[in-house]
Amino acid sequence: MRKDLKSITDGIAKTMQTDSKNIKNSHSEKSKRKLLSMSVVKKNSKGNTEKDLYDYLYPKFGKRFIDYRDKYENYLKDEKHKYLPDFPISVILELVNRCDLECTMCYQGFRNDAKKSTLEIKDLKKLFLEFKTRKLDALLLSSSEPLLYKHFDEILKMAQESKIMDQFLFTNGNLLNTKNSQLILNSSLTRLFVSMDAATSETYDKVRIPVNKKLLNTNRLKKVEESVINFINLRNSLGRKIPLVRVSFVALQTNAHEVEPFIEKWIDIVDSVEIQKENSIDFYDDLLKKKFDKKKLLLRKYNCNEPWGQVTIHSDGTVGPCCNTVGRNLPIGNILNESLSDIWQGTKMREIREGFLNNKPSPVCQLCLEHEKLNL
């Protein structure tokens, strides 16, 4: 094993062994926090992606880009929440609540199992005008599969016209064909993040299950891998380092044995490889049924930076206070009825922030933090 992989694979192995019993048996809060910290993302990259981003965006935006990165770094570190921007630093945008996969770690209650909802272009134009006026720093096209949105090309145009600096596309790669690759390369997108979760087709079929079951055992992983490599070749042929390309892997019991081969396969091809810990989806149904057992709670102190920097806009216009799907159970407004600025500064969002400041967060937030760390 390469030395630079050992800390990552060891960390994942320890994480897999961490459960609620380990936490309960820890006598000190410090010990608990140490065990919980093993849920952090493990990143690996061959170069300096932050420098590549700077070299591309600073000439275009100057001090505005520096301020953005400073705001973002401070937001991540500000556990006492001393600073609240007058507009979100980043917005996660779901265009349509559909995906062509039903991955084992993805809750489908708001997606493929729910009534279809799609953001209309007229509403998006209004939203992107607000992005431009308020100088939104970062936009993350995510939540479901963005490339399924039939007007995806218009979204890229609006993002560019709105002068959003940092633009992310999260995709499963199934629709990353040559046409869409060219579309992306002709836009101002800065980051392309492709989720794979496997190093072999056998494991891929167990984790990333297609909606169309006829596609099982058809070597779908090979197609996605070829699409990613084709995109990088097209980008490199233009003499560019942007969009940055990341591949990711959510470590589960099903695929944990492939963490090392996955990193080995991609580390010299893409700009970064990210290994993530599974966030349990088992408690989503309990949330929907309003089941809440305080006896199961293990933490004494709850903290989350999300409400101070980021929101998610879902495909029905509903706004959630964070990046997590759980936030669907804690809506703070709807962009079809009011501006994002008003929602960000509104009563519901303020109550969520005050809950953390007083260590009395919403039960939804409590359960999210407990399950995110522990996979209860």
Side-chain angles (χ1 to χ4, degrees):
M1 181 188 297
R2 283 168 38 167
K3 290 182 179 179
D4 57 343
L5 303 186
K6 183 170 174 50
S7 63
I8 294 175
T9 52
D10 286 352
I12 292 296
K14 289 179 181 178
T15 295
M16 288 295 172
Q17 296 165 9
T18 302
D19 57 23
S20 58
K21 185 176 180 180
N22 295 132
I23 306 299
K24 286 178 180 176
N25 292 340
S26 297
H27 298 292
S28 70
E29 189 72 11
K30 184 176 181 181
S31 297
K32 291 180 181 181
R33 291 174 69 89
K34 184 176 181 181
L35 281 170
L36 293 174
S37 71
M38 289 194 297
S39 68
V40 299
V41 169
K42 308 293 181 182
K43 298 181 180 179
N44 206 357
S45 73
K46 61 180 179 181
N48 188 338
T49 54
E50 189 68 24
K51 181 180 183 302
D52 291 338
L53 196 66
Y54 173 90
D55 290 343
Y56 179 75
L57 291 178
Y58 180 74
K60 291 186 174 184
F61 296 99
K63 186 176 182 297
R64 184 185 164 199
F65 173 73
I66 300 299
D67 291 343
Y68 156 52
R69 299 313 290 169
D70 287 344
K71 272 192 297 183
Y72 179 70
E73 291 298 327
N74 291 333
Y75 147 71
L76 293 179
K77 299 173 184 176
D78 185 18
E79 291 193 4
K80 294 185 177 180
H81 311 302
K82 294 181 178 179
Y83 174 71
L84 173 65
D86 58 6
F87 196 70
I89 298 170
S90 57
V91 170
I92 301 168
L93 182 61
E94 178 186 54
L95 299 169
V96 57
N97 65 336
R98 286 293 181 268
C99 185
D100 50 356
L101 298 181
E102 295 176 337
C103 300
T104 59
M105 64 287 194
C106 290
Y107 181 72
Q108 299 296 327
F110 297 114
R111 192 176 293 157
N112 291 341
D113 292 345
K115 180 181 178 181
K116 185 177 181 180
S117 60
T118 305
L119 283 169
E120 301 294 335
I121 286 294
K122 63 180 179 62
D123 297 314
L124 286 166
K125 285 182 177 179
K126 181 180 178 182
L127 178 64
F128 274 84
L129 180 59
E130 184 176 12
F131 288 165
K132 183 176 182 179
T133 303
R134 300 309 302 267
K135 295 184 178 180
L136 176 66
D137 294 318
L139 176 67
L140 292 71
L141 301 172
S142 182
S143 289
S144 296
E145 176 50 56
L147 290 175
L148 284 174
Y149 188 69
K150 63 181 179 179
H151 302 299
F152 184 73
D153 57 334
E154 293 191 50
I155 301 303
L156 293 180
K157 289 177 184 177
M158 285 191 282
Q160 187 165 9
E161 291 168 358
S162 299
K163 298 183 179 179
I164 301 169
M165 288 183 287
D166 210 358
Q167 301 170 32
F168 300 63
L169 171 60
F170 292 76
T171 178
N172 58 36
N174 287 338
L175 297 175
L176 189 64
N177 50 40
T178 300
K179 179 182 177 181
N180 282 331
S181 293
Q182 293 285 6
L183 188 68
I184 292 167
L185 288 167
N186 289 331
S187 73
S188 53
L189 196 86
T190 50
R191 310 192 203 216
L192 175 66
F193 289 178
V194 184
S195 303
M196 290 189 187
D197 309 315
T200 66
S201 291
E202 181 183 11
T203 299
Y204 188 83
D205 272 347
K206 292 178 181 178
V207 176
R208 303 188 71 77
I209 302 168
V211 172
N212 181 358
K213 301 302 183 289
K214 292 180 180 179
L215 295 175
L216 284 169
N217 302 313
T218 59
N219 207 358
R220 294 174 297 125
L221 177 60
K222 182 179 180 181
K223 179 184 175 183
V224 173
E225 291 175 338
E226 289 175 349
S227 295
V228 172
I229 293 171
N230 179 60
F231 181 88
I232 291 173
N233 289 338
L234 286 171
R235 182 198 68 179
N236 293 349
S237 70
L238 298 172
R240 290 165 48 182
K241 294 183 178 180
I242 303 294
L244 296 170
V245 178
R246 183 198 81 179
V247 293
S248 63
F249 184 112
V250 177
L252 315 164
Q253 294 292 349
T254 313
N255 65 2
H257 62 287
E258 291 189 2
V259 167
E260 181 188 345
F262 181 80
I263 299 173
E264 289 276 17
K265 176 182 280 191
W266 289 106
I267 192 61
D268 293 321
I269 298 174
V270 297
D271 301 300
S272 63
V273 180
E274 187 163 296
I275 308 299
Q276 305 162 348
K277 178 178 177 288
E278 175 191 13
N279 292 341
S280 173
I281 63 173
D282 293 341
F283 72 110
Y284 281 45
D285 288 329
D286 286 344
L287 273 175
L288 291 174
K289 295 174 183 176
K290 308 295 182 183
K291 291 183 179 179
F292 181 63
D293 187 356
K294 289 188 176 182
K295 294 179 181 179
K296 290 185 177 181
L297 299 182
L298 301 172
L299 302 177
R300 291 203 300 260
K301 175 69 177 176
Y302 295 91
N303 196 21
C304 179
N305 290 359
E306 289 282 321
W308 277 265
Q310 184 167 239
V311 296
T312 297
I313 300 174
H314 299 284
S315 57
D316 60 356
T318 301
V319 181
C322 59
C323 67
N324 202 308
T325 305
V326 182
R328 287 296 302 257
N329 295 281
L330 204 60
I332 56 173
N334 192 302
I335 57 105
L336 302 183
N337 306 320
E338 55 190 320
S339 71
L340 184 58
S341 299
D342 287 344
I343 294 171
W344 179 251
Q345 301 289 352
T347 302
K348 290 183 178 180
M349 192 60 154
R350 187 163 58 249
E351 289 174 350
I352 291 171
R353 296 185 188 114
E354 289 174 354
F356 282 111
L357 291 173
N358 299 323
N359 199 31
K360 295 180 180 180
S362 158
V364 173
C365 296
Q366 282 183 291
L367 287 176
C368 174
L369 290 170
E370 296 265 351
H371 286 73
E372 179 184 44
K373 303 295 184 182
L374 306 175
N375 290 348
L376 297 181

